[in-house]
Amino acid sequence: MALAAQYIREGKLVAFPTETVYGLGADAFNASTVARVFEAKERPSFDPLIVHIAGIHQLDELFLAPIDARVYQLAEAFWPGPLTIVHNKQSQVPDLVTSGLSTVAVRMPSHPMALQLIRESGKAIAAPSANRFGCLSPTRAEHVIKQLKTIDYVLDGGATTIGVESTVVSVSEAGVKILRHGAITREAISNVVDVVDEKVKVNTEGLPAPGMIKSHYSPLKPLYVLKEGIPATLPAGSGIIVNDARDMPRFPEVKSLALSQKGDLNEMAVHLFAALHAMEDDDQVREIYIQPVEEIGIGRAIMDRLRKASYNYQK
Ligand code: TXA
Ligand code: MG
């Protein structure tokens, strides 16, 4: 941890666990290090990063005063935790972090290693998910090492406990809008502040907003979301991921994995990316089939990821 914090201060790239997925961290105020984050991920520069903080006072160097009261209401209710808040930025926040937008995304993670890294480095840490752009998100240190070859250090905190990325909301005069579904549900947010429309398509500056990129989170093999239940048979060399272990099929020469023991949505989210990585890594598996989930609670986030992950493969 001491070395990782020193590396952040020195402008190096450190991957670290959060409760959602692993992030690829860099000092948010060091523009040349932030540039290396985009390089390491092969991420287009129009996709802005989330800045991670460990204390509410750090908002003052990121958000432009006066900070909307709803920002504090949301922070009070959900931080530390898997909620990212987008709000007007201070001019000192590097344009590279925000892709030139007038807003910046900020989150206070709850993972103790993430909080310790931010505190010990003394920096606000810009961190996208630690995967190659468009590829499967990392929920274990091994997933990071598999995908990113040019980073300086990985803090290994084992498997993450939520498994899908944070919910992203924007707070502006236009109201509070959900830009990306995640573990904090729309229902939970609505209990704290009023939420307007389900989704924004294009942000005010005309740049792609979250949700605009249709193919994302994809394995390096064809992925199909099953439409009509578990099929009676599958071709040899397939992999199938089911929601409930009790429904696990036994097809010959087909790899089967279950996301939960008894169909619990939170448990499914935890195992989603790890199961997809396991299928991606298995040379015997040529194509992957997965069951859809009910779009309630965290199920919305799961289906959002699955639709994007399977975007290029429809049957
Ligand atoms: O759970 C998470 O959020 C993880 C962990 C590491 O914290 N991070 C993560 O980062 O998922 P990333 O870069 O994969 O996704 C960040 C999302 C992107 O969809 C990006 O477009 C959106 O947040 N975003 C960032 N800044 C924004 C802004 N100023 N306005 C609108 N959307 C923004
Ligand atoms: Mg990502």
Side-chain angles (χ1 to χ4, degrees):
M1 179 57 74
L3 184 64
Q6 184 193 324
Y7 274 8
I8 291 287
R9 282 194 299 274
E10 290 174 357
K12 293 184 171 141
L13 302 186
V14 177
F16 62 96
T18 80
E19 67 278 22
T20 57
V21 300
Y22 276 70
L24 177 58
D27 175 356
F29 288 95
N30 182 337
S32 57
T33 309
V34 172
R36 277 189 62 212
V37 170
F38 284 90
E39 257 169 52
K41 277 185 62 93
E42 297 171 37
R43 179 176 173 122
S45 60
F46 62 74
D47 200 7
L49 307 182
I50 296 171
V51 178
H52 296 67
I53 60 173
I56 200 82
H57 63 277
Q58 286 180 286
L59 278 187
D60 297 337
E61 59 176 9
L62 294 162
F63 286 162
L64 190 66
I67 299 174
D68 195 300
R70 291 168 298 180
V71 168
Y72 290 108
Q73 287 172 294
L74 289 165
E76 171 84 7
F78 301 111
W79 283 357
L83 182 79
T84 295
I85 303 175
V86 172
H87 196 48
N88 293 334
K89 82 172 186 88
Q90 288 266 17
S91 57
Q92 62 193 7
V93 178
D95 283 336
L96 205 52
V97 171
T98 63
S99 303
L101 296 173
S102 57
T103 55
V104 61
V106 181
R107 153 165 132 82
M108 191 190 297
S110 63
H111 196 293
M113 285 175 91
L115 289 171
Q116 205 184 339
L117 182 67
I118 299 163
R119 290 204 182 106
E120 283 201 23
S121 65
K123 304 287 185 187
I125 298 184
S129 51
N131 52 336
R132 284 239 297 285
F133 183 71
C135 297
L136 291 175
S137 297
T139 57
R140 293 178 161 276
E142 297 87 311
H143 300 157
V144 179
I145 293 161
K146 177 172 97 172
Q147 293 191 20
L148 302 181
K149 304 294 179 194
T150 60
I151 66 178
D152 299 302
Y153 205 74
V154 183
L155 275 175
D156 189 347
T160 63
T161 53
I162 291 179
V164 292
E165 293 84 349
S166 62
T167 306
V168 180
V169 297
S170 72
V171 177
S172 72
E173 280 119 59
V176 175
K177 296 184 182 179
I178 298 179
L179 305 183
R180 178 176 71 184
H181 291 295
I184 307 282
T185 61
R186 183 191 167 83
E187 292 75 14
I189 295 168
S190 304
N191 285 335
V192 178
V193 293
D194 287 334
V195 176
V196 294
D197 21 290
E198 184 63 11
K199 218 166 194 183
V200 287
K201 288 244 160 55
V202 180
N203 62 42
T204 48
E205 285 149 89
L207 290 165
M212 285 286 294
I213 301 166
K214 289 187 171 137
S215 168
H216 209 134
Y217 314 108
S218 306
L220 301 170
K221 305 176 176 176
L223 173 71
Y224 301 98
V225 179
L226 292 165
K227 298 221 169 79
E228 281 142 31
I230 299 171
T233 155
L234 279 175
S238 310
I240 181 166
I241 302 173
V242 299
N243 294 332
D244 187 319
R246 295 168 298 184
D247 300 332
M248 190 105 108
R250 308 245 173 265
F251 301 134
E253 293 175 67
V254 169
K255 183 187 180 88
S256 308
L257 293 172
L259 295 182
S260 75
Q261 290 308 307
K262 290 184 180 165
D264 174 72
L265 278 174
N266 290 310
E267 196 186 339
M268 290 182 213
V270 173
H271 297 124
L272 175 69
F273 282 116
L276 289 167
H277 276 286
M279 293 295 186
E280 179 178 89
D281 294 345
D282 189 327
D283 293 337
Q284 307 296 313
V285 175
R286 287 194 301 272
E287 52 184 28
I288 311 163
Y289 295 83
I290 189 163
Q291 274 191 297
V293 305
E294 206 183 339
E295 291 196 59
I296 49 165
I298 200 170
R300 281 207 198 97
I302 297 177
M303 281 313 293
D304 167 66
R305 307 307 186 269
L306 283 186
R307 272 194 279 271
K308 289 180 180 143
S310 65
Y311 184 72
N312 296 312
Y313 300 97
Q314 311 282 338
K315 261 189 193 169

